[in-house]
Amino acid sequence: MIDWTTAAPAVSAAFLASIVEVVEAFTIVLAVGTVRGWRPAILGTAAALATLVVLTLALGPLLERAPIHAMQLVIGVLLLVFGMSWLRKAVLRAAGVIALHDEAAAFVAETAALRQDLAPRSAPKDWIAGLAAYKAVLLEGFEVVFIVIAVGAGRGLLGPAALGAGAACALVLMIGAIAHRPLARVPENTLKFGVGVMLAAFGVFWTGEGLGVDWPGHDLALFAFAALFLLTGLVSVRAARALAPEAAS
Amino acid sequence: MSVFRAVVAELTGMFLSDARLTFGAIAVVALAALAAEIPDPGHLAAGAVLLLGCVGVLVVAIMATARRRR
């Protein structure tokens, strides 16, 4: 029986992180579909998804068998670094120090690059286009697989986390199929900020457990860590904006 | 080969996009591991070092980048 107070943060992190990654992959798949047609786009995407499913099915159960403290420590540290990295970039984008990710601009750039790559060549054009879709979905999917395995393995939450990721994928593809253009209005940076906070909190929690820390309040400590990282992020946005006003303007 | 190179670049980018942040976090974890060896309340000291150390590393990494981009 799944304890949903424990599962909810894991499922939410997997769901929200997957929305961000699927939106980015969708932009490139849409570019391939627009320039070369939907057959190579769909085939490339399907091949990448199959690769990712095999990876998750292979790695997930393997980690379940690893010694619990060692696994908590290694995955905790990886999650900590990954989450703090996302949070750092989200803070810098919110402060205007680095540019926001623009899906519309990415679509234009990708379409132009594809048209250039598909200029007269000996290799079949569909293969090149399909490979572009495969690469995009595979690379964005790696982050999703990592998050699903990191928040799910070792706590029997692999299934719920994978379902969260799958639901996000289905939602984005459904909206994308209806809109038929880059999903530029998704609040990507806000989502990355939130996911960064959650993953950094998970990372601290699991690393601590791996080191033998008995967190006061047990699983409830996760919420306290998330609140601290959220506060740190919000204060850092203001401080970074004040520090780099020329970059922010 | 280009897919393989892109995969390696992606995996490297996931964890090493900011070396200061990555190695700072690893240093904090190492310090927390040392603190955990202290007899009671070692594990609480380790927890405090870990949590506050990570927050510190994050703030330093953010401010360093903001300063660099002035």
Side-chain angles (χ1 to χ4, degrees):
Chain A
M1 193 69 188
I2 291 171
D3 176 4
W4 284 102
T5 53
T6 310
V11 175
S12 309
F15 178 78
L16 294 172
S18 300
I19 286 184
V20 173
E21 300 303 332
V22 176
V23 163
E24 291 184 7
F26 174 76
T27 297
I28 299 183
V29 171
L30 182 67
V32 170
T34 303
V35 170
R36 194 61 205 157
W38 287 103
R39 195 165 166 269
I42 289 168
L43 286 175
T45 300
L49 289 175
T51 307
L52 292 167
V53 165
V54 166
L55 204 62
T56 310
L57 291 175
L59 285 177
L62 228 96
L63 288 168
E64 299 270 351
R65 282 195 221 125
I68 184 92
H69 281 303
M71 187 198 65
Q72 280 173 330
L73 187 59
V74 171
I75 291 192
V77 172
L78 290 175
L79 209 45
L80 185 61
V81 169
F82 185 74
M84 287 192 350
S85 190
W86 267 39
L87 184 53
R88 171 189 156 268
K89 275 193 207 148
V91 166
L92 291 170
R93 287 194 175 111
V97 176
I98 57 180
L100 288 172
H101 190 78
D102 185 344
E103 290 303 330
F107 176 76
V108 168
E110 187 63 31
T111 308
L114 271 169
R115 286 192 210 279
Q116 196 171 17
D117 282 350
L118 294 175
R121 259 196 185 199
S122 55
K125 293 180 173 43
D126 279 2
W127 167 255
I128 297 167
L131 193 61
Y134 176 81
K135 243 167 69 172
V137 175
L138 186 71
L139 296 181
E140 301 300 339
F142 269 135
E143 299 194 30
V144 172
V145 167
F146 169 70
I147 291 167
V148 165
I149 289 175
V151 301
R155 295 189 144 217
L157 295 175
L158 210 52
L163 275 173
C169 191
L171 179 69
V172 170
L173 288 177
M174 194 177 68
I175 294 172
I178 295 167
H180 215 77
R181 58 181 173 195
L183 303 179
R185 293 178 68 181
V186 171
E188 221 175 292
N189 202 53
T190 305
L191 286 173
K192 280 190 161 163
F193 200 112
V195 172
V197 163
M198 290 163 91
L199 295 183
F202 265 114
V204 166
F205 186 83
W206 277 40
T207 304
E209 289 208 327
L211 292 174
V213 175
D214 186 14
W215 295 111
H218 302 290
D219 287 356
L220 291 176
L222 259 173
F223 295 97
F225 299 161
L228 181 60
F229 277 110
L230 177 62
L231 184 66
T232 304
L234 292 172
V235 169
S236 299
V237 169
R238 299 193 77 167
R241 212 176 264 153
L243 203 58
E246 294 93 13
S249 61
Chain B
M1 267 322 259
S2 79
V3 174
F4 178 74
R5 253 185 263 126
V7 166
V8 170
E10 174 72 16
L11 288 173
T12 310
M14 274 168 69
F15 303 107
L16 281 171
S17 59
D18 183 342
R20 179 185 280 113
L21 185 82
T22 300
F23 294 115
I26 291 170
V28 164
V29 172
L31 281 171
L34 286 172
E37 297 301 314
I38 301 169
D40 268 349
H43 76 275
L44 283 178
V49 166
L50 185 62
L51 181 61
L52 298 175
C54 285
V55 168
V57 163
L58 178 65
V59 170
V60 166
I62 289 167
M63 293 303 136
T65 306
R67 242 179 247 118
R68 215 169 39 237
R69 304 249 182 160
R70 277 172 103 172

